Amino acid sequence: MKIFDCLSPSYPLLGPHLLEASAGTGKTFAIEHIFTRLLLESSLQIEEILVVTFTRAATRELKGRIRANLEKACRKESSPSLQTALSLFDRCQIFTIHGFCYRALQEFAFEANLSFSLPHPDLSRDVIRDWKHWRKSFLQTGIPPEAVCPEQLSILLSQYETSEGISRAIEKGNEKKACSWTELAQEFETLLKPKLPLTESDLLADFALSRENYKVKKGDFPPQLKALAAVDFPTLIAHQGTLFDYFLPENQKIRTKLVTLRYPGFLEWAAETLGPLVKTAADSETILGTLKNAWNQWKQEHIPSNAAFDPDDLINQMRRAVEIPAFATRLRSKIKAVIIDEFQDTDPLQWEIFRKLFLESSTPLQALYLVGDPKQSIYRFRGADVYTYIAAKNLLGKENLYHLNTNFRSSQTLNDALNILFHRPWLHLPQLDETLTYHPVATGSNLSSQFSDCKAALHWIIGEENASFEETFLPYAVAEIERLSLTQAAILVKDRYEAQKALDLLKKRAIPAVAISHQSIGQTETFRDIREFLQAIASPYDESLQKIVDLGPFASSPPLPFLKELLQNKGLAALLREVFSFFTSRDAKQIAEELLDWELREGFSFEGLDRFLQELEYLPAEEGGRRWMEENTEAVQILTLHISKGLEFDVVFALGLASPPSRQETNDPEFKAEKLRQLYVAMTRAKRRLYVPYKKGASPIALFAQQIETQEGPFLSYLEKLSSHTIEHLSTPFSLPQKTSSTPPLSPPFLPHPLPFTPSYLNSFTSLARPKPRKEPLPPLSEQEIPRSPATGTFFHHIFEILFSSTDPLASVDRIVEQEACSTSFAPWTKPIQELIRQTLLLPLSDGTQTFSLHKLSPENCFVEMEFLYPSQNDFIKGFIDLVFRIDNKIYFLDWKTNWLKDTSLPTLQEEMEMHDYPLQAALYAEAMRRFAPALEFGGAFYIFVRYGTYLYIKDSHGS
């Protein structure tokens, strides 16, 4: 193993380097010093050194660290090259991969045969918004029904949670894995046809008789057996083939009993023959590949040829450009040295760009550094490919492979314990049938792992087979935090659900804690407050906006007209100084920095500010929108295994390592390999002590134990032999000790005098209503009936909102309903919903003096989802009205209802109104109408019961 010391002049600075930096070995420290030495010891200028990393946050950090190191070096020695570099630091070439591609294509657009008006992917909010719109349109209306079924989309949603997450994953999809569900369904039916007919009852009976010959497996099997009898391929996809896993030969018990079956051998045949088809259809990579293929075809048909590049398409365009000799030559002439950070996160296409540009040239770079750690390649879901790293390693050759060999993070005892555990072949690479090599690292830290107990720096907590995160490992961790009075500790969890459970329990025990999750800064309450404040400044005489500000944290700020003038004349920095007292929280500081960065890039305008805030609101966490970590080091940090990468803590409870994976991933060899790399990341975050949970199963720690057992025998027996490890067995459930508080709760004697303050409350109809229980239960739902649920009401409201924002609602019904219902649970009821919507638009409405239909209302006289806020005594009333419309000199409001009714008689309608307290709603909304449209006559309210084509008209809040 060749060691690299970034501070020693005896180690080669120039030439190619693949620099492997294990966890805690000072990767960023090495990069900042390599950069400084390149300026000092060669003829390179600052603009000739390219540094590439993979997030905007990492780019900002690297720029700050490199500049600080240059300033430090200048103070130590007077160097003209360093002084020049500092004075020209704004020319430094430190980018994200997208930023680098943009800069190259923009600067050499002529050679790349491109337009000179290429928008920056990190800066142009309009481009990002346009592409989000196109991607949303594709997901809503562009997916061919024969390509992907709704059940497959549900599988993706369970992994990516939002359509935005799915659209980003599609860009990383592999078209080579594309396979439409209809092709697989046709093959499924062809294979199954000779076995038909099958009866549902016989299959269920066979399953009941056979299951005692098989090991226990999780899954909802009756619906799958029914689907098998009905040749229902989509339902089997939805269950991801767990039925077929059950009847695979490896799941059969050694000793079996002879049973008499209606279809002998059929279920085993289905597992071997039909199971792979279902598994392929339920495989997320297959689904994404199929969608990627459909997306590429859709783009050609629907997106203008002169549209700005999608940020992800920049990579494809850059790959094409590097094949143009004139472009590649000009770019190479500008860049003489390259440092690529986090190289293990590079995908194949990005590596192709770097390889073509910098390794296949007749004029080699003066210096090339690929810096990373394949053991920490854990972002496969974002396109990162550990095999790309291996390919680059093989291309550069062993003679150019170097290592950082000193761990500056962990204590001596903890580092030694991890060396013993990891120094073996255990990080498997399935595609190559090889393992990643772990090289033991020396200790460069003087930290001590001594606590007031007998537990080692690496402490194993062993759970019973039924041990769970919530009942066993989490309570134990909380008990340890209390016992040792830990403040600088972290709990690593599998996902946000475990994070919330941990946060709830810690708060219940009065332990300061913060959850560092995938939440973006744009989804925080602080962002909402700042956005409302800036909107109020833009419209300083809008009374409703002023009232919102008066109820929020900016209530004591200077007058809005003064702030608007200040903002227009002196910019955001002056405004932030004026209201500085609010910008003390971590979230507020982060938003302030984003605002100032935006103003520096684009200049100030209220229109641009509004666009920027819209984009920041929905900027994904992994693309630069993640909230900064809390500065409060005196609180327990809760974070997922993925987010923990690159961070360090005194004490770490790596609880997520014992959590089982999702069902569809358990049989994927690459998934298992990445889970072991996640384990490496999680177990290298601690500085003084690491707690690792263990129980049998399919979790990352169980996979690791299996690797150990192939070399050392039984896992627990092996651990007991290691003097640097300690073991503790836990019972389930683990009982937390009774909490005793040293601080008594506040009681009346602490507040002898009432505060001279009358509280105000922000109320709405929902908070004020007092609905009554239904007198009789609802009848069963028929197969033809649209579901009864809050989601149904939300869906209808959404459709009406779109329709009344269009110029011709009646003509748009079929298109809009089909578009919005596509890929949702309402797709089977598309036609009935279209009929109900059309019926509603044509319904004759009367206020006693005139009759009209909604489809004839002109758009300029309609106000959709009108928001209101007005004072009521000491409080405020806030709400949204579904539809407000004007006819002549009268103004009306309308509310859509999807309630179930036993009949449509007037007494039934009035009973329904009373049961849900709708007269109160009518009174609140009518008052809003009178306050905000005093010049118009209030014509009344219409409550339309959409399912039945009937309505109730209320003249005012007192009578109908």
Side-chain angles (χ1 to χ4, degrees):
M1 180 179 75
K2 294 170 67 175
I3 309 304
F4 186 84
D5 185 348
C6 63
L7 299 178
S8 173
S10 63
Y11 287 87
L13 178 66
L14 303 180
H17 299 72
L18 182 69
L19 186 56
E20 289 200 355
S22 292
T25 55
K27 170 178 66 69
T28 306
F29 179 89
I31 290 174
E32 64 191 54
H33 283 84
I34 290 168
F35 192 100
T36 302
R37 285 186 60 196
L38 286 172
L39 292 172
L40 275 172
E41 301 174 28
S42 70
S43 59
L44 292 173
Q45 305 299 310
I46 191 167
E47 62 266 31
E48 294 176 325
I49 305 173
L50 171 67
V51 181
V52 178
T53 188
F54 287 87
T55 68
R56 285 191 287 176
T59 302
R60 282 198 297 265
E61 181 190 4
L62 266 178
K63 279 185 179 179
R65 292 277 296 264
I66 288 173
R67 184 184 182 96
N69 197 56
L70 289 176
E71 292 172 345
K72 181 180 177 181
C74 278
R75 289 193 295 270
K76 285 186 176 180
E77 60 178 287
S78 178
S79 166
S81 62
L82 293 187
Q83 292 288 354
T84 303
L86 272 174
S87 64
L88 300 175
F89 192 77
D90 59 337
R91 297 185 185 178
C92 69
Q93 308 293 301
I94 304 175
F95 301 115
T96 63
I97 178 64
H98 290 92
F100 164 61
C101 293
Y102 158 77
R103 179 63 66 90
L105 294 172
Q106 179 79 346
E107 188 169 354
F108 304 116
F110 179 80
E111 290 83 356
N113 299 324
L114 294 175
S115 163
F116 284 90
S117 59
L118 185 68
H120 195 302
D122 289 342
L123 310 185
S124 177
R125 307 292 173 171
D126 291 330
V127 172
I128 296 172
R129 184 171 62 250
D130 287 346
W131 278 90
K132 283 184 177 179
H133 166 75
W134 284 322
R135 288 168 173 169
K136 182 179 179 182
S137 298
F138 167 70
L139 289 174
Q140 290 179 338
T141 64
I143 301 176
E146 69 276 6
V148 177
C149 64
E151 289 76 9
Q152 290 175 305
L153 289 176
S154 295
I155 291 173
L156 292 185
L157 278 171
S158 70
Q159 295 181 41
Y160 298 98
E161 300 181 3
T162 65
S163 59
E164 187 64 29
I166 292 177
S167 68
R168 292 195 303 274
I170 290 172
E171 281 296 338
K172 303 294 185 182
N174 184 353
E175 292 176 81
K176 294 180 181 179
K177 295 196 172 186
C179 187
S180 73
W181 82 276
T182 50
E183 293 176 5
L184 294 168
Q186 186 175 3
E187 185 177 354
F188 178 88
E189 292 171 10
T190 301
L191 291 170
L192 186 57
K193 189 173 182 179
K195 305 289 185 179
L196 298 177
L198 299 167
T199 66
E200 179 183 305
S201 56
D202 287 341
L203 277 178
L204 289 168
D206 280 3
F207 177 77
L209 290 170
S210 301
R211 64 185 310 166
E212 60 181 296
N213 287 332
Y214 290 86
K215 302 169 189 174
V216 175
K217 265 189 176 292
K218 293 183 178 180
D220 191 4
F221 303 118
Q224 296 179 73
L225 292 163
K226 294 176 183 178
L228 197 55
V231 197
D232 181 359
F233 193 60
T235 297
L236 292 169
I237 294 173
H239 288 272
Q240 300 175 41
T242 55
L243 173 69
F244 303 114
D245 291 338
Y246 194 94
F247 286 97
L248 287 173
E250 55 264 33
N251 195 47
Q252 192 173 43
K253 294 179 181 177
I254 297 175
R255 295 182 179 180
T256 60
K257 296 180 181 179
L258 184 64
V259 291
T260 303
L261 305 176
R262 174 64 181 84
Y263 305 115
F266 170 75
L267 290 172
E268 291 78 6
W269 171 86
E272 293 282 355
T273 309
L274 305 180
L277 297 176
V278 176
K279 289 291 185 183
T280 298
D283 175 58
S284 59
E285 292 190 15
T286 299
I287 302 169
L288 290 172
T290 307
L291 287 172
K292 178 68 174 293
N293 187 42
W295 163 244
N296 287 337
Q297 295 178 21
W298 191 89
K299 280 195 296 188
Q300 295 177 4
E301 298 174 11
H302 294 85
I303 298 179
S305 58
N306 62 344
F309 286 127
D310 180 354
D312 288 315
D313 271 355
L314 274 175
I315 305 295
N316 293 309
Q317 183 61 36
M318 184 69 173
R319 177 64 185 87
R320 291 189 288 269
V322 298
E323 297 289 352
I324 302 173
F327 174 82
T329 300
R330 289 293 303 277
L331 188 54
R332 290 186 191 113
S333 68
K334 180 181 178 180
I335 298 171
K336 305 296 179 59
V338 174
I339 303 171
I340 302 177
D341 185 25
E342 300 289 1
F343 185 68
Q344 76 278 349
D345 294 333
T346 305
D347 67 32
L349 190 58
Q350 294 164 359
W351 170 234
E352 278 290 297
I353 293 170
F354 294 131
R355 184 173 60 82
K356 286 282 182 183
L357 273 175
F358 303 125
L359 288 172
E360 295 185 0
S361 168
S362 57
T363 307
L365 292 165
Q366 291 190 37
L368 170 66
Y369 286 84
L370 308 180
V371 186
D373 182 7
K375 302 186 295 299
Q376 298 186 67
S377 178
I378 61 172
Y379 292 119
R380 193 165 63 109
F381 69 93
R382 285 199 331 223
D385 183 9
V386 68
Y387 297 103
T388 298
Y389 184 100
I390 301 301
K393 180 179 177 178
N394 293 335
L395 181 64
L396 264 63
K398 290 183 179 179
E399 65 275 15
N400 296 312
L401 175 61
Y402 299 86
H403 293 82
L404 299 179
N405 75 325
T406 303
N407 182 343
F408 297 97
R409 173 180 299 158
S410 304
S411 68
Q412 177 80 50
T413 52
L414 179 54
N415 189 51
D416 290 347
L418 291 173
N419 278 335
I420 292 171
L421 206 59
F422 291 158
H423 191 203
R424 63 186 72 249
W426 63 283
L427 291 164
H428 195 54
L429 298 172
Q431 285 187 29
L432 303 176
D433 196 23
E434 298 175 1
T435 56
L436 294 172
T437 302
Y438 174 85
H439 296 282
V441 288
T443 305
S445 167
N446 295 322
L447 281 173
S448 169
S449 285
Q450 294 298 316
F451 286 89
S452 57
D453 56 22
C454 298
K455 296 174 183 177
L458 205 168
H459 185 67
W460 293 85
I461 46 178
I462 313 300
E464 300 170 356
E465 194 164 344
N466 63 337
S468 68
F469 172 85
E470 189 171 6
E471 293 186 344
T472 310
F473 298 121
L474 176 60
Y476 172 83
V478 172
E480 285 292 281
I481 290 169
E482 290 179 338
R483 182 179 68 84
L484 296 172
S485 300
L486 297 177
T487 55
Q488 297 184 7
I491 297 177
L492 308 188
V493 297
K494 173 190 172 186
D495 51 33
R496 68 178 188 276
Y497 303 107
E498 288 188 353
Q500 189 59 54
K501 290 174 183 176
L503 185 62
D504 291 344
L505 182 56
L506 287 165
K507 287 187 174 180
K508 185 178 179 181
R509 305 285 290 189
I511 299 172
V514 290
I516 312 302
S517 68
H518 289 282
Q519 184 186 20
S520 65
I521 189 67
Q523 300 299 310
T524 61
E525 185 176 350
T526 302
F527 175 82
R528 185 203 65 193
D529 290 337
I530 293 175
R531 184 175 186 177
E532 289 174 347
F533 180 53
L534 292 171
Q535 288 172 336
I537 292 175
S539 303
Y541 298 104
D542 187 317
E543 291 185 9
S544 63
L545 293 175
Q546 174 69 69
K547 290 168 183 174
I548 291 173
V549 171
D550 290 343
L551 291 170
F554 292 97
S556 59
S557 65
L560 295 179
F562 164 77
L563 293 177
K564 182 174 183 179
E565 184 178 355
L566 178 69
L567 184 54
Q568 287 175 318
N569 294 335
K570 297 186 178 180
L572 276 165
L575 173 70
L576 295 177
R577 281 195 296 270
E578 190 68 34
V579 291
F580 178 77
S581 59
F582 175 74
F583 285 84
T584 55
S585 73
R586 190 66 169 167
D587 285 345
K589 289 177 182 177
Q590 181 177 356
I591 295 166
E593 182 172 317
E594 292 284 353
L595 287 168
L596 292 171
D597 282 348
W598 164 78
E599 185 182 40
L600 182 64
R601 294 192 306 261
E602 300 186 18
F604 180 81
S605 71
F606 280 110
E607 294 80 7
L609 177 63
D610 185 61
R611 288 195 302 270
F612 170 71
L613 290 171
Q614 287 181 32
E615 292 303 329
L616 184 58
E617 182 177 4
Y618 298 105
L619 183 65
E622 62 269 23
E623 293 181 12
R626 176 174 291 125
R627 297 172 70 187
W628 291 348
M629 178 166 285
E630 292 285 344
E631 290 179 324
N632 182 10
T633 57
E634 300 301 313
V636 175
Q637 309 283 341
I638 305 166
L639 58 166
T640 63
L641 300 175
H642 275 102
I643 294 178
S644 71
K645 184 175 176 290
L647 303 176
E648 58 184 37
F649 309 91
D650 275 2
V651 178
V652 171
F653 298 85
L655 305 188
L657 294 179
S659 299
S662 55
R663 189 169 56 201
Q664 68 268 21
E665 298 167 321
T666 53
N667 296 317
D668 181 356
E670 292 295 343
F671 167 80
K672 292 180 179 179
E674 187 173 69
K675 283 299 175 186
L676 286 174
R677 298 195 294 272
Q678 281 183 23
L679 177 139
Y680 172 79
V681 169
M683 292 181 67
T684 51
R685 300 305 99 199
K687 296 159 69 175
R688 300 181 61 198
R689 177 178 286 179
L690 171 67
Y691 290 82
V692 184
Y694 170 75
K695 71 168 188 174
K696 293 182 178 179
S699 64
I701 196 63
L703 292 174
F704 179 67
Q706 291 168 17
Q707 297 287 322
I708 296 287
E709 287 179 338
T710 60
Q711 305 160 36
E712 308 287 352
F715 182 61
L716 294 183
S717 300
Y718 169 70
L719 294 181
E720 289 170 352
K721 299 175 185 176
L722 301 176
S723 59
S724 56
H725 298 235
T726 49
I727 297 176
E728 184 175 357
H729 291 268
L730 307 182
S731 59
T732 297
F734 181 87
S735 298
L736 270 167
Q738 186 69 30
K739 177 69 175 179
T740 57
S741 176
S742 58
T743 305
L746 289 178
S747 56
F750 285 88
L751 294 173
H753 304 291
L755 293 173
F757 170 72
T758 303
S760 293
Y761 297 94
L762 187 62
N763 295 312
S764 65
F765 165 66
T766 305
S767 65
L768 296 173
R770 297 294 181 267
K772 304 173 182 63
R774 189 174 291 278
K775 294 179 180 178
E776 54 190 51
L778 293 175
L781 189 71
S782 66
E783 292 184 2
Q784 293 76 28
E785 187 178 351
I786 299 170
R788 308 170 194 151
S789 70
T792 301
T794 301
F795 183 75
F796 271 90
H797 278 71
H798 178 59
I799 295 296
F800 282 121
E801 182 178 350
I802 297 174
L803 285 172
F804 283 98
S805 300
S806 64
T807 55
D808 191 349
L810 191 60
S812 307
V813 170
D814 288 350
R815 175 181 60 82
I816 289 175
V817 173
E818 185 173 352
Q819 173 180 308
E820 296 301 317
C822 177
S823 303
T824 73
S825 59
F826 293 99
W829 290 280
T830 298
K831 290 191 179 299
I833 292 173
Q834 289 170 336
E835 289 301 317
L836 290 181
I837 299 289
R838 194 177 294 107
Q839 168 186 277
T840 302
L841 295 177
L842 295 171
L843 179 66
L845 303 178
S846 175
D847 65 353
T849 62
Q850 58 180 332
T851 301
F852 55 90
S853 295
L854 295 174
H855 76 283
K856 293 185 177 180
L857 296 176
S858 58
E860 62 269 18
N861 287 325
C862 293
F863 305 90
V864 181
E865 289 292 314
M866 192 188 89
E867 183 179 10
F868 65 84
L869 176 73
Y870 62 82
S872 176
Q873 296 179 348
N874 292 326
D875 301 331
F876 290 83
I877 306 296
K878 181 179 181 179
F880 292 86
I881 303 176
D882 291 347
L883 180 66
V884 175
F885 59 91
R886 174 181 174 174
I887 299 179
D888 298 329
N889 199 42
K890 288 185 178 181
I891 190 166
Y892 304 81
F893 76 80
L894 183 152
D895 206 80
W896 314 110
K897 300 299 180 189
T898 56
N899 307 36
W900 175 87
L901 302 173
K902 60 183 177 182
D903 58 59
T904 57
S905 64
L906 181 59
T908 298
L909 294 179
Q910 291 174 330
E911 178 185 340
E912 191 73 11
M913 296 284 290
E914 292 292 336
M915 185 173 70
H916 293 283
D917 214 357
Y918 291 154
L920 171 63
Q921 182 187 45
L924 297 175
Y925 289 8
E927 181 63 20
M929 294 292 94
R930 294 188 181 97
R931 287 174 181 254
F932 292 102
L936 298 175
E937 179 186 350
F938 178 56
F942 292 91
Y943 280 76
I944 297 186
F945 294 87
V946 178
R947 291 179 185 268
Y948 306 99
T950 189
Y951 71 94
L952 193 67
Y953 169 69
I954 300 177
K955 170 59 180 172
D956 53 40
S957 58
H958 305 292
S960 63

